[in-house]
Amino acid sequence: MTPPSAWGVLAERLAATQRRVRSLESEPDRRNSFLPYTVERDSAYAEFEGSRLLMMSGYSYLGLAGDERVVAAAKSAVDTYGTGNHGVRALAGTIPLHEELEAEIARFAGREAAIAFGSGYAANVGTVGGLVGAGDTVFIDKYDHASIVDGCRLSGAEVTRFRHNDVEHLGRRLAASRTRGLRLVIVDSVYSMDGDIAPLPQLRRVCDEHDALLMVDEAHALGVIGASGGGIEDHFGGEVRVDVKLGTLSKAIPSMGGWVAGDQALIGHLRYAARPFLFSAALAPAQAAAALESLRILRAEPERVAHTQHESARLRDLLSAAGLRTAASETAVIPLIAGGDETAYDFATACRHEGVIALPVVTPAVPNDLARLRIAVTARHSKADIDFAAEAFLKAARTSAVLPS
Ligand SMILES: Cc1ncc(COP(=O)(O)O)c(C=O)c1O
């Protein structure tokens, strides 16, 4: 039998994707993914096919996307430096803005130094690969972000998963490990699909008991948890420290890029050992300037953090009191559990008809029967917006049979 041609094999894969996409998007009303919303610069509303809808699935937790100071900083960086860099960071790509940004990140994170990557994804892949390799073992939470998983795969280290936020299970995994190399535990500070928080004090204790380092991904914690939006250490009162702190510049900070903060030795090592830092383009000037300005605003305007925390709690209470399941959310990220994938699509569509954008997350991104709308409160949402959203969610939940009508 002649083997299938390479094009034949690829064509089958492409057709399978097409079939899945077509079944999802067969009815105009069911389209949910890749829709081009234009969010207004100075509100939480977005334009979609001629309608003005309240955006409840954004990631700009501090409401800084479109902030005129951030936009001005980015424009000024383009005027000074142009639109791109002249190479990777190690070869002509470093500009003064990168160093200013890294100093601001270090200050924000309460560490000696920081390193900025082109994305949060690159930061995870580069950091895990820069810290561990063959002979080492990484312990990751089952719900850790894909970029942590990919970093682990590429690193060549042994990977062990533990049940979500289950410190006892992690302890058993650590106790059973026979590695003679480094042990590294990695968790998300805030889980992006459930909005719950990693139990830092207990994690610290179990890591110390078993001589493991603890790394956290602050992607959804920066600007979101802690009295001043400082992330997980701030949330737990500043007493417990992690060993490696990492985050993105693409959510509460409305730019692109990733970072790691730590002592000089750790950051100095990553400058040479993290491959995406060495072999991928530096942050563009506008991105670096936007991130720098946003971090300064976060420091100067902590009321943004307080507003988001207050309105998230209020929305969660309103919805759960009316019977909607919000999983273990304690942050600005609030899942509205729909059940099956189809119900989640119907729920999202009904929300759009009620004037609200709430995007569905379905399998395999979440476990079976836990498909949901992933909503997030930002500092752009006024009290009236949240009241409107709560009413819309409840009406839509009834229309789509998530709640009894
Ligand atoms: C927890 C977490 N880590 C890392 C990333 C990747 O960040 P970026 O989009 O900046 O590459 C994301 C983005 O979705 C995330 O949710």
Side-chain angles (χ1 to χ4, degrees):
M1 203 171 80
T2 47
S5 74
W7 267 112
V9 174
L10 181 60
E12 255 172 52
R13 289 178 196 169
L14 305 187
T17 305
Q18 276 301 315
R19 279 195 296 278
R20 178 156 163 78
V21 171
R22 242 181 257 128
S23 80
L24 294 179
E25 298 188 348
S26 49
E27 298 162 42
D29 230 20
R30 304 290 301 277
R31 290 195 303 140
N32 281 295
S33 303
F34 301 109
L35 297 181
Y37 300 105
T38 309
V39 183
E40 293 172 1
R41 281 226 352 229
D42 56 356
S43 82
Y45 281 78
E47 218 267 354
F48 174 66
E49 293 182 349
S51 304
R52 191 166 182 262
L53 306 168
L54 181 65
M55 171 52 91
M56 289 300 300
S57 275
Y59 286 82
S60 184
Y61 302 118
L62 292 167
L64 290 174
D67 183 282
E68 59 187 26
R69 296 161 292 179
V70 178
V71 172
K75 281 182 178 164
S76 158
V78 171
D79 287 342
T80 308
Y81 298 104
T83 54
N85 296 303
H86 294 268
V88 296
R89 283 290 297 277
L91 296 173
T94 298
I95 54 176
L97 259 181
H98 290 133
E99 295 189 338
E100 277 179 68
L101 173 63
E102 287 168 343
E104 183 66 34
I105 292 169
R107 176 178 179 163
F108 168 81
R111 296 296 194 269
E112 275 175 19
I115 176 173
F117 290 80
S119 71
Y121 185 96
N124 265 325
V125 168
T127 303
V128 180
L131 296 181
V132 295
D136 299 324
T137 305
V138 194
F139 301 81
I140 58 174
D141 186 288
K142 196 168 163 240
Y143 286 4
D144 273 357
H145 188 259
S147 52
I148 296 172
V149 177
D150 293 358
C152 291
R153 282 184 186 149
L154 280 171
S155 73
E158 190 181 318
V159 183
T160 301
R161 286 186 172 217
F162 58 95
R163 286 197 289 269
H164 177 53
N165 269 352
D166 186 338
V167 180
E168 270 182 32
H169 192 219
L170 168 62
R172 289 202 295 280
R173 293 283 200 212
L174 282 163
S177 164
R178 294 282 156 259
T179 183
R180 300 173 82 85
L182 194 153
R183 296 161 214 251
L184 176 66
V185 173
I186 313 179
V187 297
D188 288 9
S189 295
V190 170
Y191 286 87
S192 64
M193 294 300 146
D194 286 69
D196 52 349
I197 300 173
L200 179 64
Q202 293 87 336
L203 286 166
R204 180 71 272 172
R205 207 170 310 126
V206 83
C207 285
D208 290 346
E209 268 167 32
H210 296 280
D211 190 23
L213 295 181
L214 177 59
M215 167 170 154
V216 296
D217 179 340
E218 301 260 70
H220 302 273
L222 187 170
V224 177
I225 60 170
S228 57
I232 196 158
E233 291 176 341
D234 190 13
H235 176 80
F236 285 101
E239 300 283 305
V240 186
R241 274 169 74 96
V242 301
D243 300 303
V244 184
K245 229 189 218 193
L246 172 151
T248 76
L249 300 170
S250 62
K251 303 190 193 302
I253 303 300
S255 181
M256 277 188 73
W259 56 269
V260 179
D263 61 25
Q264 293 284 2
L266 173 72
I267 300 307
H269 168 76
L270 290 177
R271 283 183 195 281
Y272 291 93
R275 293 172 67 83
F277 184 81
L278 278 178
F279 298 112
S280 184
L283 267 181
Q287 293 173 325
L292 178 59
E293 181 64 18
S294 303
L295 283 165
R296 288 177 176 153
I297 297 174
L298 166 57
R299 190 148 40 86
E301 298 177 4
E303 62 275 14
R304 288 175 177 274
V305 179
H307 175 86
T308 306
Q309 290 177 351
H310 182 263
E311 288 304 311
S312 317
R314 206 167 66 79
L315 179 59
R316 197 172 31 248
D317 289 350
L318 284 171
L319 297 178
S320 51
L324 273 175
R325 289 185 290 155
T326 57
S329 163
E330 334 170 42
T331 65
V333 174
I334 309 175
L336 303 182
I337 305 297
D341 290 0
E342 290 297 314
T343 313
Y345 288 124
D346 288 346
F347 192 7
T349 303
C351 285
R352 214 159 51 232
H353 291 163
E354 296 298 334
V356 169
I357 301 166
L359 295 174
V361 183
V362 298
T363 53
V366 290
N368 266 339
D369 295 324
L370 287 177
R372 69 213 39 207
L373 304 188
R374 182 219 180 259
I375 62 171
V377 174
T378 79
R380 279 263 191 251
H381 292 118
S382 66
K383 184 172 179 301
D385 290 335
I386 295 300
D387 289 338
F388 172 73
E391 218 167 284
F393 287 136
L394 294 176
K395 273 195 208 155
R398 290 188 196 100
T399 318
S400 54
V402 172
L403 287 179
S405 48

